[in-house]
Amino acid sequence: MENRLRLAPSPTGLFHIGTARTALFNWLYAQKIGGKFLIRIEDTDFLRSKSEYTKNILEGLKWLGLKWDEEPVKQSDRITIYKKYIKKLMESGFAYRCFTTENEISELREEQKKKGYPPKHDNRHRNLSKEEIEKFISQGRNSVIRFKIDEKIQIKWVDQIRGEIKWQGKDLGGDLVLSRRAMGYEIGDPLYNLAVVVDDNFMNITHVVRGEDHISNTAKQILIYEALNFKLPTFSHTPLILNNEGKKLSKRDCVTSIDEFRDMGYLPEALSNYMAFLGWSPKSAEKEILSLDEISKIFDLSDINKAGAKFSWEKLNWINSQYIKNMESVKLSEIISRYWENMGWNPPSQEWAIKLVNLIKDSMTLLKDAIDQSKPFFSLPPIDKEGQDFLEKNNSKEPLQLILNYLIEQNTVKLDKEIGKQIINEISKKHNFKKGTLMKSLRVAFFGSLSGPDLIQSWELFSENKSDISRIERCLKSI
Ligand code: GLU
């Protein structure tokens, strides 16, 4: 039998990191066992579901490298099918029409609250006679369809992450609503628990892997599987992603949507790598930097932790910086060129761009750091106070003038690292200047300050369009 896993997002918001991590675990396990990874868009909440969110979720999955194997299933296309199953459950005595009004439900809740009981429906219409039903309908009352939940039953399953889970029927909130309110003998729009069971069966899902917030739904769904005589998949409930205070990561924690991570400058490979370790502790991984392919080979649901996984910016940043550092230069320069383009910066050549990227990549954490790091190579920074003081205290005018003269004389020589070093050595020896002072003066000339990337390599880049000359000239004027 083919192994089939799925992600079943509700398109009621942007692609969230929690959903993305669930997708990743499903995808990884599907790869591991040679199964399929499928998508089902759960858009039966017509008011909150939006097609732009579906688009956002699918684009986010693609960006993360999580390809799905079949055309996504959309629940809004399958409403009549769900209604057929609801009807079947009614005909076989598992479900019934319930006419309790909103007001009656509120009264019941109030009463329960006063007694300190949790909300639970009292199943008052479970055994209505045909005549009673007719009477309610003739009064114009609308109705939902409820699935009978035996109070005395215990529901048990072996969760692939948590081991045996037991749930008592009496703790499921009373008979389960399968459909929204509808008039007369109509069946209203189907709700989540019914649609999920029908679709997981229809899609031949063998492994359901989803967040721990669905544990009580699983108990309800198992009862529906049994009533419909469907084969049960295995269930795995993944831990929540927590913030620093140990609470569920939410919008208040600044960044939660995958778009935002992308816009902040995280690489998809780095984010996927980080997310895999968010709640998963492999027995056999020696490294933390692993591609999705490598992870899928050692991934197992049983290595997912039960306890919530704390989100760590520090770790994510470290992983991202490792990916930036180790990325192939041409590929990285293509990515960074887009940031330059947005700033209106044009590198003089592709070779120059690659050299600059190699120069700055070790000090980058996020892709957007490339803007700050490469800015002095595209525009002339002002000389800061510390730089200016240095120039004046160390009589930098003369050595800088000598370097300038040398550069002008050697106009035709293409400067590289060796020549740069040679110029510094020669001038410092000949004129008895300290090499360190000379280099720092040059640094102020190039960067306007005493900090910046490797001087000689930077010089090579500045010399490409002679901006080493113009920068030294500008600096001389300021001393
Ligand atoms: N649509 C549900 C959600 O977004 C997922 C349901 C499931 O995986 O069964 O939380």
Side-chain angles (χ1 to χ4, degrees):
M1 195 177 68
E2 185 177 56
N3 288 311
R4 292 164 69 84
L5 290 94
R6 75 344 181 240
L7 177 77
S10 307
T12 52
L14 294 173
F15 191 28
H16 184 274
I17 179 142
T19 316
R21 207 257 331 237
T22 303
L24 179 62
F25 284 170
N26 273 282
W27 185 91
L28 285 168
Y29 197 59
Q31 308 305 306
K32 159 87 179 189
I33 58 176
K36 294 229 160 105
F37 171 62
L38 313 169
I39 306 288
R40 181 172 68 238
I41 301 297
E42 303 210 316
D43 54 351
T44 51
D45 183 343
F46 301 117
L47 288 177
R48 290 169 60 226
S49 298
K50 292 206 169 99
S51 61
E52 64 244 45
Y53 293 139
T54 300
K55 194 166 160 250
N56 180 266
I57 293 165
L58 297 180
E59 277 171 1
L61 285 166
K62 272 194 220 150
W63 182 73
L64 288 168
L66 307 178
K67 286 205 196 103
W68 53 95
D69 293 303
E70 291 172 9
E71 190 58 31
V73 169
K74 228 167 88 190
Q75 287 194 327
S76 53
D77 293 340
R78 295 175 42 77
I79 303 298
T80 47
I81 297 166
Y82 308 132
K83 288 190 181 176
K84 240 169 53 197
Y85 279 101
I86 295 176
K87 206 161 158 225
K88 199 168 160 190
L89 287 169
M90 290 169 80
E91 284 162 2
S92 49
F94 286 103
Y96 63 91
R97 208 169 271 288
C98 170
F99 295 88
T100 327
T101 63
E102 308 261 14
N103 274 345
E104 286 165 347
I105 289 180
S106 311
E107 280 165 25
L108 182 63
R109 292 267 146 89
E110 276 310 306
E111 244 173 72
Q112 288 166 338
K113 224 170 156 183
K114 265 189 232 149
K115 293 183 191 148
Y117 296 158
K120 183 172 176 179
H121 197 261
D122 58 7
N123 310 335
R124 64 183 70 171
H125 291 164
R126 221 193 225 194
N127 298 309
L128 291 181
S129 66
K130 234 173 140 194
E131 292 71 34
E132 286 169 313
I133 292 176
E134 256 167 40
K135 197 168 155 215
F136 277 135
I137 289 181
S138 66
Q139 285 169 355
R141 276 209 196 194
N142 56 24
S143 61
V144 300
I145 309 299
R146 282 187 190 266
F147 179 79
K148 293 180 189 166
I149 293 187
D150 183 351
E151 293 269 304
K152 285 181 240 82
I153 206 169
Q154 185 185 58
I155 304 126
K156 260 199 309 199
W157 73 93
V158 179
D159 193 282
Q160 305 294 294
I161 297 172
R162 287 155 204 273
E164 188 175 76
I165 297 185
K166 289 183 194 150
W167 209 280
Q168 308 304 323
K170 66 176 173 37
D171 296 331
L172 288 176
D175 289 346
L176 174 71
V177 183
L178 298 181
S179 65
R180 291 200 178 85
R181 291 180 183 279
M183 294 307 290
Y185 287 98
E186 291 290 306
I187 294 174
D189 289 328
L191 292 172
Y192 165 73
N193 279 302
L194 182 277
V196 167
V197 173
V198 170
D199 285 344
D200 282 339
N201 177 71
F202 161 70
M203 293 166 76
N204 294 315
I205 299 301
T206 51
H207 300 71
V208 169
V209 179
R210 59 185 169 201
E212 66 172 287
D213 43 336
H214 285 290
I215 292 181
S216 67
N217 284 328
T218 297
K220 294 169 189 166
Q221 289 170 21
I222 287 175
L223 296 175
I224 304 177
Y225 271 95
E226 285 167 354
L228 288 171
N229 239 333
F230 288 164
K231 194 170 178 310
L232 279 170
T234 65
F235 292 98
S236 307
H237 292 91
T238 60
L240 292 177
I241 302 178
L242 308 175
N243 66 13
N244 241 342
E245 284 102 54
K247 300 214 178 81
K248 187 176 168 180
L249 193 76
S250 73
K251 290 215 174 78
R252 260 164 286 132
D253 299 298
C254 306
V255 179
T256 49
S257 87
I258 294 301
D259 276 9
E260 289 171 290
F261 285 99
R262 187 199 53 209
D263 295 346
M264 281 174 74
Y266 290 99
L267 285 162
E269 301 88 326
L271 187 56
S272 303
N273 188 161
Y274 172 69
M275 284 195 301
F277 280 94
L278 207 47
W280 169 68
S281 319
K283 288 182 204 85
S284 55
E286 288 125 36
K287 312 185 283 176
E288 285 184 296
I289 302 296
L290 290 167
S291 70
L292 287 186
D293 266 356
E294 289 169 317
I295 295 174
S296 71
K297 295 204 174 83
I298 53 170
F299 186 81
D300 211 327
L301 293 172
S302 58
D303 291 334
I304 295 177
N305 309 326
K306 294 184 199 109
K310 238 185 205 171
F311 187 88
S312 158
W313 286 105
E314 215 174 282
K315 178 103 177 268
L316 173 60
N317 286 342
W318 178 77
I319 291 183
N320 206 54
S321 69
Q322 296 303 304
Y323 273 87
I324 291 177
K325 209 177 281 178
N326 298 326
M327 189 179 263
E328 207 267 307
S329 302
V330 175
K331 191 174 167 201
L332 185 60
S333 75
E334 275 164 14
I335 297 174
I336 290 181
S337 293
R338 274 177 246 139
Y339 285 79
W340 292 340
E341 230 173 87
N342 285 341
M343 299 299 293
W345 297 341
N346 292 314
S349 68
Q350 204 207 351
E351 196 196 347
W352 186 93
I354 293 172
K355 277 190 196 157
L356 176 53
V357 164
N358 282 333
L359 181 61
I360 61 173
K361 68 179 183 183
D362 286 356
S363 48
M364 286 169 58
T365 299
L366 300 172
L367 288 172
K368 68 170 187 190
D369 292 343
I371 297 177
D372 278 348
Q373 307 278 353
S374 42
K375 190 171 180 198
F377 292 88
F378 292 100
S379 62
L380 187 63
I383 298 174
D384 65 19
K385 167 104 178 45
E386 201 191 2
Q388 189 68 40
D389 288 351
F390 182 87
L391 296 175
E392 275 154 27
K393 256 193 236 139
N394 291 281
N395 302 320
S396 299
K397 194 163 186 148
E398 202 187 338
L400 283 178
Q401 187 64 55
L402 289 168
I403 294 177
L404 180 66
N405 296 347
Y406 191 97
L407 291 175
I408 294 171
E409 271 166 36
Q410 304 284 319
N411 193 20
T412 50
V413 177
K414 193 169 170 351
L415 193 126
D416 65 14
K417 270 183 266 172
E418 290 317 310
I419 298 180
K421 276 190 216 155
Q422 204 183 315
I423 298 174
I424 298 212
N425 282 339
E426 271 178 28
I427 294 183
S428 66
K429 235 192 243 156
K430 214 156 129 192
H431 300 278
N432 207 16
F433 291 122
K434 271 198 210 135
K435 227 158 84 177
T437 314
L438 197 59
M439 286 174 83
K440 279 187 184 157
S441 308
L442 206 48
R443 185 179 282 291
V444 177
F446 290 161
F447 295 106
S449 85
L450 287 166
S451 57
D454 182 272
L455 182 79
I456 305 285
Q457 287 181 50
S458 305
W459 193 357
E460 193 181 340
L461 293 170
F462 287 127
S463 76
E464 181 94 12
N465 50 6
K466 302 258 176 287
S467 82
D468 52 346
I469 294 185
S470 57
R471 283 175 191 230
I472 297 172
E473 281 170 344
R474 188 260 326 231
C475 185
L476 283 169
K477 276 187 210 137
S478 83
I479 310 177

